Amino acid sequence: MCGARLERRFGKKFALTHMDILLNFQHAELDRESNKLEESFRDHFKKRKGQSTDKFTHSSIVRALTSVSREKLRTLLTYPPHRLREMCRLQSMVVTHNPVYVAGRYNKYSRELSQSPWFIDGERKGLDTSVSELLSQLLLEYTQAKSQNFTSSGREDIDVQMLGSGRPFTIQLLEPERVLSPDVLSDIERKINQMDPLLVRVSDLTLISREEADKLKDLEAEKRKTYTAVCVSDGDLSQGELDILCEHRDMVIDQLTPIRVLHRRALATRQRTVHWMKAKLQCNSSRIFDLEIETQGGTYIKEFVHSDFGRTVPNLCTLLSNRQIDIISLDVLSVHVEWPPAPDNS
């Protein structure tokens, strides 16, 4: 309805865009009625933290009016409404761009770099930057976005490398002032990879829709991950003993919330599937071996190796005749998710 009127008024074609225009009008007579509503229905007109729009929204007014009887409403408002004598005035106009979503994959090569800023008791851990900060910095600078939200398909521990084709992620840019094009994204990708190639690398940067960005979390339950780990035994092992691990396929394990994450995750037993694994002794060693393993997303690999004091069952210790096994290093080789979504060229 408004679009057609604007077309006639300005002689321009109306079309939906990625821009939002917020017009704030003031009208003295309506302000008085709004104040009466607020006094009677304060719970419906509380301004939420971070809310940038006026508290008298269409939905809040509808909620207030539908919660009261007609008789009560007659005491609050003029009924039927009288004819307005004053013109409304345009108080302000704010133009913003809808959020922009950038998808891609990243590799992490440092064992001191966290995925997101990590603080404990106000002290930053690891390096003075993070994967999310390194990937979003140039995007924020170019678009002049107000802020960003980083989302990924899972996360690796700070001491774990992300190798192979990388981990899928999205970056939501809020209120950008400049738009991105495929050529600009390609240039930003090149610059990110030149910043510090010993820390991170990014690939396949592309623009996606909000609906496509929401699908990343939906893929969590379906994904598989492949890892490689260097492990050590408390006693000598033969290659024949390690070859037994190959026989275990699609093995279901029970994992009680690991001790190291109890401060942020609820205490629960979670079932996960170990799809396959294989191990090989390192040269000139009978105790150190390389483990390659593919599991369901969400499996705690470190705890599967050392058992976490028996909180993961079965575990590598029990599978190797109750030896004490520990993990020296861990890397993610692959996150089996098709990402970013293929562009729609139809």
Side-chain angles (χ1 to χ4, degrees), residues 258-278:
I259 293 173
R260 64 187 174 93
V261 299
L262 268 176
H263 65 285
R264 58 182 172 86
R265 295 214 64 182
L267 180 62
T269 298
R270 300 171 179 85
Q271 286 197 334
R272 295 291 185 263
T273 301
V274 176
H275 295 292
W276 59 263
M277 54 185 157
K278 59 183 180 180

Side-chain angles (χ1 to χ4, degrees), residues 299-331:
T299 305
Y300 291 102
I301 303 300
K302 293 176 180 178
E303 283 67 25
F304 172 71
V305 171
H306 59 59
S307 89
D308 196 27
F309 299 102
R311 297 165 71 86
T312 291
V313 181
N315 53 69
L316 208 57
C317 302
T318 58
L319 296 176
L320 292 173
S321 303
N322 292 317
R323 296 179 184 273
Q324 293 300 308
I325 310 295
D326 207 347
I327 190 165
I328 298 174
S329 64
L330 178 66
D331 297 320

Side-chain angles (χ1 to χ4, degrees), residues 113-247:
L113 181 69
S114 58
Q115 188 192 74
S116 56
W118 184 25
F119 293 88
I120 298 180
D121 296 329
E123 180 182 349
R124 184 158 193 162
K125 299 298 181 180
L127 301 179
D128 60 357
T129 188
S130 64
V131 172
S132 62
E133 290 169 298
L134 289 169
L135 299 188
S136 63
Q137 177 183 336
L138 293 179
L139 290 169
L140 287 171
E141 289 178 2
Y142 181 84
T143 62
Q144 296 297 297
K146 183 178 180 180
S147 60
Q148 61 87 19
N149 292 317
F150 181 87
T151 305
S152 65
S153 179
R155 64 167 60 222
E156 66 283 333
D157 292 337
I158 189 172
D159 60 347
V160 175
Q161 296 183 114
M162 180 65 240
L163 307 176
S165 60
R167 185 181 297 278
F169 71 89
T170 62
I171 295 177
Q172 179 194 44
L173 300 167
L174 300 173
E175 298 184 25
E177 296 182 8
R178 299 176 69 186
V179 296
L180 293 161
S181 67
D183 289 340
V184 170
L185 270 181
S186 179
D187 186 54
I188 289 177
E189 179 177 315
R190 177 182 58 80
K191 290 179 179 178
I192 291 175
N193 292 335
Q194 291 174 346
M195 287 170 58
D196 199 331
L198 297 179
L199 291 181
V200 295
R201 182 180 182 278
V202 68
S203 59
D204 302 327
L205 284 188
T206 185
L207 291 170
I208 60 172
S209 66
R210 175 180 177 177
E211 291 72 24
E212 290 171 322
D214 291 340
K215 292 177 183 177
L216 184 58
K217 285 299 180 184
D218 296 335
L219 299 172
E220 289 289 303
E222 306 172 9
K223 73 181 179 187
R224 294 186 177 195
K225 292 182 181 179
T226 306
Y227 301 84
T228 180
V230 179
C231 305
V232 60
S233 169
D234 65 342
D236 292 341
L237 286 167
S238 68
Q239 185 59 48
E241 290 177 285
L242 294 178
D243 288 342
I244 296 176
L245 297 177
C246 298
E247 299 175 4

